[in-house]
Amino acid sequence: MAEKSDAWGSRVGLILAMAGNAVGLGNFLRFPVQAVQNGGGAFIIPYLICFLVMGIPLLFIEWSSGRFGGKFGNHSTPYILDSMVKGRVLKYIGVFGIFTNLAVAAYYCYIESWTMSYVFHSIGGTFVGMSQADVAAFFGNYVDISHSTTGIPYEAVVFYVICLVINTYILSKGLKGIEKVAKIGMPLLILFGAVLAIKGLTLGDSGASEIFPDANAWDGLNFLWTPQYSSLLDLKVWMAAAGQIFFTLSVGMGTVHCYAAYLEEKDDVALNAVSAGFMNEFVEVVLGSLIVVPIAAGYLGLDWVIQNAGFGMAFQTMPYLFQQWGPALAMIAGVLWFGLLFFAGITSSLAMGTPWIGFMRDEFGWNQNKGAWSFGFIALILGLPTVIFFQEGVFDEYDYWAGTVSLVVFAMLETILFSWVFGMEKGWPAITNGADIKVPIIYKYIIKFVTPVMLIVIFVGSLFKPKDNDWSGNLSNLFSGNSWVLDNGSIIKTITHAGIREQIALATDPSVIA
Ligand code: LEU
C-alpha cells in the first residue's frame, strides 16, 4: 500500500480521460458492424436496455470501488478489491484483471498503429487511383509483415513499436500526461467525427453508380436507427448487445477502478460515471452510426454493407470511398478518419497501462517511470506474436480470450462481490456519498439483482453458445428432445483442441479476413 502519489488536475480532465477510456476503436469499428450483423434497428433496443441495466450499474460499481480503494492509498484492482473484502482470492481476481489489460493493450495497440500508418499513407497519396480491390490488397500486404508498402522494411512492426513507445512515454508522465491527451484528443475526435458524419448525412444517392444504381446513404442510416421490435426475443441479438456494451464502456477490465482510485473521498462518482458513460454513448450511437455505414451504403448500397459488414471495412473500403471525392478531399478525409481512430485508440490504450503501473506501485513501490516502461515492454513481448502471426489467427485469439471472455468473467465476479459480499449496505453509500445527482433508488435493486443475473446468463450463454449462434433453433431442438450443438465460438468448444484447430482454420481463410 502506497501513498496517493498523483491526482487528477480537474474534473473536466477526469471526465474526458474516463470518456476517452471508453470511447475507442470499438465505437467506430465494432459498433457499426455489430449493429449491421444483428439487424440494424433490431439491435438498438436491446443495446440501450443493456446500457441502462448493465452498463450504468457496472460504471457505478467500478467508479465507486475505485474511489473506495483509493481512500486507503490503493491504485490497482488487486489492492482495491482487497480493501473492500479481505481475502486472498479477491486479490487473484484483481491480478487477472491486470493481465486482461496487458493482453488487450498488446493487440489493441497494433490496430492503433495501423491508424497512424494510414494517416501517413493518406497524406502521401498512396490510395490515389487505387481500385477497391487494390485498397483491400494493400491492407493484406500491410499486415503480411514481410511486405513493405513504403519502403520501410517490416513497416507494420515499426509502426507498432512507435505506437507503443508513444503510449509508454505519455504514461511515464502520469495522470497529467493522460489528461492532456484526453483534453486534446477527445474534442478533436468529436470534431473530426462530426465533419465526416455531416458528409455521411449529406451524401444521399449522389454516390450511386452503374454498378450500384440503388446506393443511398440514407438507407444505411434508416437501417441502423429505425427500431424493430421483432428481435426482442432473439437471444443472439441480446448477447451481441451485451458484449458491445462491455467492450465500449471498457468495463470488466479494471481501468475504470484505477482511474477512479485517484479521486478524493468527498468527490462525486455518480454524476461523473453517468457523464462519461453518456458521452461514450453519444459518440457510439450518433457518430459511430453516421460514418462507415452511411458512406459505404451511399456508394455500394445497403445490400453490400449487410453482406460485407466487418472489421476490415474501415481499412479496406473507406480509403477507396474517400477517393471518390477527389485527391485533395480524399486526403483530408483520410487524415480525419484515421486521425479520429488514432485519438479514439490512444485514449483507451493509455487507460490499459494504469492497472499494471498501479499494481507495481502498490506491490513493489515502483515509480511511474519504471511502471510505464515495464508496461510498454511487456505489451511489446505479448503483442509481437499478434503482429508476426496476424494471418495465422493469433490476433483473433487474443481478441476472443482477452477482449471478450475475460471482460465478462471479471465483470461477473466483481458484481457478485460488490452486491453480495461487500454488500449493498456499504455499496449504496459508496456510490451515493458525495454524489452531485440523486441516484434513482431503483439502481440499488438493479445492481443487487438484475445486473448479476444478467452477467451470469451472459457468461453461461457464452460457455454454451449454440452452433451458428442460432438460439431459438437450438432451444426448440432441445425441448423436442434433440441435442444442443455447440458453436466453434463457444468457450467450451474453443478450449478443446478441435475447437482451436477449427478457429485457426477459419481465421486463416482469406475470405474471412477480407
Ligand atoms: N472501450 C474500448 C473501445 O471501445 C475498448 C476497451 C476494451 C478498451 O474501443
Side-chain angles (χ1 to χ4, degrees):
M1 192 156 77
E3 282 311 299
K4 249 194 190 112
S5 50
D6 207 349
W8 293 104
S10 67
R11 187 166 184 175
V12 174
L14 162 71
I15 293 181
L16 287 178
M18 277 285 197
N21 173 15
V23 171
L25 299 164
N27 295 53
F28 297 95
L29 308 184
R30 199 176 187 277
F31 172 77
V33 172
Q34 289 293 318
V36 169
Q37 288 176 345
N38 288 286
F43 181 75
I44 214 80
I45 297 176
Y47 172 86
L48 291 176
I49 294 177
C50 285
F51 173 64
L52 292 177
V53 298
M54 218 176 57
I56 293 273
L58 275 164
L59 287 174
F60 282 152
I61 292 175
E62 298 197 349
W63 274 78
S64 59
S65 302
R67 184 184 63 174
F68 186 88
K71 198 164 67 178
F72 303 99
N74 296 324
H75 307 87
S76 62
T77 35
Y79 279 81
I80 290 170
L81 296 185
D82 187 59
S83 56
M84 294 168 73
V85 184
K86 293 278 169 225
R88 233 193 158 71
V89 176
L90 301 180
K91 265 196 165 176
Y92 291 129
I93 296 175
V95 172
F96 167 71
I98 289 172
F99 282 108
T100 304
N101 280 283
L102 287 168
V104 175
Y107 79 85
Y108 198 87
C109 286
Y110 188 37
I111 316 179
E112 206 175 299
S113 73
W114 302 346
T115 67
M116 281 170 61
S117 154
Y118 269 59
V119 167
F120 289 110
H121 283 292
S122 302
I123 295 173
T126 304
F127 306 114
V128 175
M130 277 194 182
S131 68
Q132 193 176 349
D134 290 342
V135 175
F138 176 88
F139 179 76
N141 283 337
Y142 183 86
V143 290
D144 176 359
I145 55 162
S146 56
H147 277 78
S148 167
T149 50
T150 44
I152 305 174
Y154 298 102
E155 186 188 341
V157 182
V158 171
F159 273 103
Y160 178 58
V161 173
I162 295 175
C163 183
L164 276 180
V165 169
I166 295 176
N167 272 278
T168 307
Y169 174 75
I170 297 168
L171 281 171
S172 72
K173 301 288 161 208
L175 294 184
K176 300 277 167 304
I178 297 175
E179 213 170 321
K180 201 180 261 171
V181 173
K183 279 183 167 166
I184 299 171
M186 287 301 287
L188 279 181
L189 175 159
I190 292 179
L191 176 72
F192 290 2
V195 174
L196 290 166
I198 290 171
K199 185 72 189 168
L201 271 175
T202 52
L203 197 61
D205 59 3
S206 60
S209 63
E210 274 173 28
I211 310 173
F212 296 102
D214 298 329
N216 190 328
W218 280 97
D219 290 344
L221 207 57
N222 286 334
F223 177 63
L224 288 185
W225 280 2
T226 311
Q228 286 167 28
Y229 303 93
S230 53
S231 62
L232 284 182
L233 293 177
D234 189 346
L235 246 153
K236 164 180 171 257
V237 178
W238 281 92
M239 295 291 268
Q244 179 59 22
I245 284 295
F246 275 114
F247 195 88
T248 189
L249 291 175
S250 296
V251 288
M253 301 181 76
T255 50
V256 175
H257 309 70
C258 294
Y259 273 4
Y262 292 95
L263 286 167
E264 296 295 331
E265 199 180 342
K266 58 178 186 352
D267 287 340
D268 157 274
V269 292
L271 179 59
N272 283 345
V274 172
S275 313
F278 271 91
M279 196 183 284
N280 178 69
E281 290 315 298
F282 165 77
V283 174
E284 176 143 301
V285 178
V286 179
L287 298 183
S289 298
L290 284 176
I291 304 175
V292 183
V293 172
I295 294 181
Y299 285 100
L300 306 169
L302 180 60
D303 289 342
W304 185 94
V305 174
I306 294 175
Q307 279 154 23
N308 293 281
F311 175 72
M313 280 203 307
F315 296 91
Q316 293 170 324
T317 313
M318 294 302 273
Y320 164 71
L321 298 179
F322 294 154
Q323 296 308 316
Q324 315 312 310
W325 303 337
L329 280 184
M331 183 190 88
I332 296 174
V335 172
L336 295 184
W337 173 238
F338 294 111
L340 146 115
L341 291 180
F342 176 70
F343 287 127
I346 194 162
T347 46
S348 298
S349 56
L350 288 173
M352 293 174 220
T354 44
W356 168 265
I357 299 172
F359 186 49
M360 290 300 111
R361 173 176 298 141
D362 288 348
E363 184 76 33
F364 304 115
W366 284 14
N367 65 20
Q368 187 72 21
N369 210 30
K370 199 166 164 190
W373 288 99
S374 57
F375 164 76
F377 180 72
I378 297 173
L380 176 69
I381 300 297
L382 283 177
L384 279 179
T386 70
V387 177
I388 299 170
F389 302 110
F390 179 79
Q391 270 144 332
E392 281 72 37
V394 175
F395 181 96
D396 299 314
E397 289 297 323
Y398 271 58
D399 185 38
Y400 179 73
W401 290 110
T404 313
V405 176
S406 300
L407 305 191
V408 178
V409 173
F410 188 91
M412 180 180 73
L413 295 176
E414 70 168 336
T415 304
I416 295 172
L417 177 75
F418 186 91
S419 319
W420 292 91
V421 185
F422 184 57
M424 286 312 284
E425 300 68 39
K426 283 189 261 170
W428 190 244
I431 295 169
T432 51
N433 281 352
D436 288 335
I437 45 166
K438 187 161 167 28
V439 186
I441 188 79
I442 185 152
Y443 268 105
K444 187 170 175 181
Y445 302 99
I446 294 181
I447 292 174
K448 185 157 184 179
F449 300 107
V450 183
T451 315
V453 169
M454 280 190 80
L455 286 161
I456 292 170
V457 170
I458 290 165
F459 176 65
V460 175
S462 36
L463 279 178
F464 298 104
K465 183 174 160 190
K467 189 163 170 49
D468 299 330
N469 216 354
D470 176 13
W471 289 88
S472 334
N474 268 278
L475 275 174
S476 53
N477 250 348
L478 196 65
F479 287 124
S480 51
N482 297 324
S483 61
W484 182 268
V485 187
L486 288 176
D487 189 76
N488 287 333
S490 66
I491 299 179
I492 293 210
K493 186 117 189 233
T494 309
I495 44 185
T496 66
H497 188 53
I500 289 178
R501 267 210 324 254
E502 279 171 68
Q503 266 207 353
I504 289 180
L506 261 182
T508 44
D509 175 357
S511 64
V512 176
I513 291 185

